[in-house]
Structure formats: structure tokens, C-alpha cells
Amino acid sequence: MNEAIGVTEEEIKRFYVLHDQKKEIEQELHQLKKKFHQFLDGSIGKERKGEIIRGDYQVHRQIRSSSNYMPEVTVQKLDDLNLSDFIITEKRPDTEKLEAAIKLGFVDAATFEDCKNTKVTQAIVVKEVKQ
């Protein structure tokens, strides 16, 4: 068994302070990135790679692009062009209907217990309690 680990008030306070600083730092980083993008948009153009050099520091903007096909429109066009070989038919359970059938007693929940994944997550929230 695990040995009991003590948690001090100072550790909780430190977590609280660091978490608060993290939020402030992320907000400041967001503002600086926005300023850099605005500068580069104005001097080089939107969606163009570029750089800013000031003293010993360099800001380099990269441009990444990705594209994907809109499923409904693409499937419709493939159907229209008789290109059904390019369409994937996917069998998936209708979990909403299954859950409803279980609640109504039409399906035994135990039958599907080994088919179900349950995801459990943990979160730490620290608040300052004024006394």
C-alpha cells in the first residue's frame, strides 16, 4: 500500500499562487502573440511567413495550412458521380437509442456491460478560503 503523503498549507498556497500566475502569463503571451501577428500582417501581409529581429531576439512566424473534405457535401458529390467506391460506410452503435432502450427495460444493461468504456478524469481545484 502507498505510504500516506502529507500535504501542507504552504504547498496548497504555492499551487494556488502558481496557478494564478499561469493564467496571467498565458494572457500576456496571448496579447504579445496577437501584437506580433498584427505587426507582421501590416508589414508583410496576412497569412505570410516572416520575422521580426530586435537586438538578440527573433520572432519567426510560420504558416501552416491544412484542408479537409466536408463529409456531407463530398459524399453527395461522390453519389452524384456514381463514385460510391470512394465512400466509407461505417457501422456504429446508436448509443442514444441503446441507452433509451436500457432505461425503458427493452434491453438488459448487463448484456452490454462489457462493451462500455467509462472514462474517469481527475481535476485539482484550489480556492482561497477567507476566514
Side-chain angles (χ1 to χ4, degrees), residues 20-53:
D20 204 41
Q21 288 175 347
K22 177 185 168 197
K23 285 191 248 179
E24 291 174 14
I25 290 168
E26 286 175 347
Q27 185 177 10
E28 186 175 351
L29 283 170
H30 176 73
Q31 292 299 321
L32 288 169
K33 285 180 188 178
K34 184 176 176 182
K35 184 175 184 177
F36 298 157
H37 280 298
Q38 287 174 338
F39 177 82
L40 289 165
D41 287 348
S43 62
I44 296 169
K46 287 184 179 265
E47 298 179 358
R48 298 195 58 185
K49 69 179 183 175
E51 65 183 25
I52 304 166
I53 299 174

Side-chain angles (χ1 to χ4, degrees), residues 94-113 116:
D94 188 335
T95 54
E96 288 180 16
K97 286 183 180 178
L98 180 57
E99 288 291 327
I102 290 170
K103 283 181 184 174
L104 293 171
F106 297 137
V107 176
D108 182 21
T111 306
F112 292 94
E113 203 56 42
K116 198 173 189 179

